[in-house]
Amino acid sequence: MFGNITLLLISTIIWGFGFIATRWTFETLDPFWAHALRFLLAGFLGFPFLIYRKSFWKNPKILKKSMISSFFLMCTLLFQTIGLSTTTVAKSGFITTLYALFVPLFMMILTKKKYKATFWALIMLAFIGMALMCNLKLTGLNSGDFLTLLCAVFGAIHIIYIGFIAKEIDSPVEFNFLQNFFVGILSCLIAFFVKGPIHVTATQNVVLGLLFSSIFSSMIAFSIQVIAQKKIPTHIAGLIFLMESPFAAIFGYFIFKEVLSPLNILGAFLIMLAILLIPLLGREVTAVLKEK
């Protein structure tokens, strides 16, 4: 389990910096086209691999599953990207990671299973940490924060869906590249319908932001997610993804000079503590109980 936890932590580091990369793209791109170009580029870069593999043509099920997954992922990141344009990196990171709470709640509804008290204790510890990172309150909420909340809902659905199908996926990389391709096409159609033709000035930050979010956040991190969720229980994966929040805040501090107070740092420590306790507690947090 430790190896798969490490893989998911690598993904959270990448996604944490992804908040910075996304903000860079806003220099000359609106949120719709920033999101669309990110996945269009990822789909384009991954297309030679898909042609080389060709296995998805022999298995229509992987096409169907990747299309369903791409819809959930598109909604997750589109709402996150639009919301990030009107809120801070730290607040966006906090609200986004509410999916860690939605995952077990939705799973309880779908599977009629319960989770041990130890798991809920880790969730509470992590959310206390996130509250501290947000200075114990969410003030000045706006439409961007509401859209980020929708991002958390669809993010939870995406994590749950990947958990359901992960063991059926022979090639996580191929699956994710297909997912990126479909997200790119759908996002471009939405961007064109909402914003019209694209107008962009390719500054250094925009290019770097698109390259990082396409190659690392989309192609690498989401492939790692599918690989790790073959072995990691869905509710544990959602908890581990909470590390995205402190990483986003830390990168926001260094890149955009967003302030981190002692309470913010304490909050980040509590989240990390909750994640570190997962392998130590073992089945006390990973096991689920069926309802009688």
Side-chain angles (χ1 to χ4, degrees):
M1 175 178 284
F2 181 78
N4 289 293
I5 290 176
T6 302
L7 285 176
L8 290 184
L9 286 175
I10 292 172
S11 290
T12 63
I13 295 173
I14 295 173
W15 288 329
F17 192 84
F19 285 91
I20 306 302
T22 299
R23 287 282 289 272
W24 281 343
T25 64
F26 292 161
E27 280 191 1
T28 60
L29 287 170
D30 65 80
F32 286 91
W33 275 113
H35 175 263
L37 289 183
R38 162 187 174 176
F39 280 96
L40 190 65
L41 179 58
F44 176 77
L45 293 175
F47 198 72
F49 178 82
L50 295 175
I51 297 300
Y52 172 76
R53 285 277 301 184
K54 295 182 181 178
S55 61
F56 64 90
W57 291 116
K58 303 174 184 178
N59 184 8
K61 288 184 178 180
I62 191 174
L63 279 174
K64 180 180 178 181
K65 287 180 170 60
S66 61
M67 288 182 71
I68 294 173
S69 180
S70 69
F71 174 76
F72 296 142
L73 181 59
M74 181 196 69
C75 291
T76 300
L77 296 178
L78 181 60
F79 285 132
Q80 182 188 64
T81 302
I82 299 172
L84 188 57
S85 65
T86 57
T87 189
T88 66
V89 168
K91 196 192 295 185
S92 179
F94 170 77
I95 298 175
T96 296
T97 51
L98 288 176
Y99 57 62
L101 178 61
F102 295 149
V103 166
L105 292 178
F106 292 167
M107 286 291 289
M108 289 173 66
I109 295 172
L110 293 172
T111 65
K112 306 299 182 182
K113 293 178 180 179
K114 295 181 179 179
Y115 302 96
K116 292 189 174 184
T118 314
F119 167 73
W120 292 110
L122 290 188
I123 284 283
M124 182 174 296
L125 177 64
F127 271 88
I128 290 173
M130 286 197 294
L132 291 174
M133 286 190 65
C134 204
N135 298 315
L136 300 176
K137 58 184 178 180
L138 287 170
T139 57
L141 295 177
N142 55 36
S143 60
D145 298 315
F146 174 73
L147 291 174
T148 308
L149 182 62
L150 290 180
C151 149
V153 172
F154 278 100
I157 296 173
H158 183 256
I159 292 170
I160 291 170
Y161 184 73
I162 293 296
F164 280 146
I165 67 172
K167 292 182 179 179
E168 304 173 18
I169 299 172
D170 295 327
S171 173
V173 174
E174 180 184 33
F175 174 86
N176 180 48
F177 284 7
L178 281 170
Q179 178 179 244
N180 289 334
F181 178 78
F182 288 129
V183 172
I185 298 300
L186 289 171
S187 299
C188 281
L189 291 174
I190 292 174
F192 185 82
F193 178 77
V194 175
K195 291 294 183 177
I198 184 173
H199 300 284
V200 58
T201 302
T203 66
Q204 179 179 343
N205 279 347
V206 170
V207 173
L208 289 176
L210 285 175
L211 286 174
F212 183 91
S213 58
S214 296
I215 297 172
F216 290 93
S217 296
S218 299
M219 299 180 72
I220 296 176
F222 282 117
S223 294
I224 291 173
Q225 177 190 358
V226 181
I227 293 170
Q229 280 199 248
K230 283 178 172 286
K231 302 292 185 181
I232 295 285
T234 301
H235 65 292
I236 295 299
L239 178 58
I240 294 171
F241 287 152
L242 286 175
M243 281 300 297
E244 181 181 0
S245 182
F247 285 130
I250 290 170
F251 289 132
Y253 170 79
F254 284 108
I255 305 298
F256 294 127
K257 308 303 180 183
E258 293 184 352
V259 178
L260 281 177
S261 69
L263 283 180
N264 300 148
I265 297 172
L266 174 60
F269 171 77
L270 293 179
I271 296 173
M272 286 188 280
L273 177 62
I275 305 307
L276 290 173
L277 287 174
I278 293 174
L280 295 178
L281 295 174
R283 289 189 57 80
E284 281 299 312
V285 293
T286 59
V288 296
L289 305 172
K290 291 186 177 180
E291 288 187 351
K292 296 181 178 179

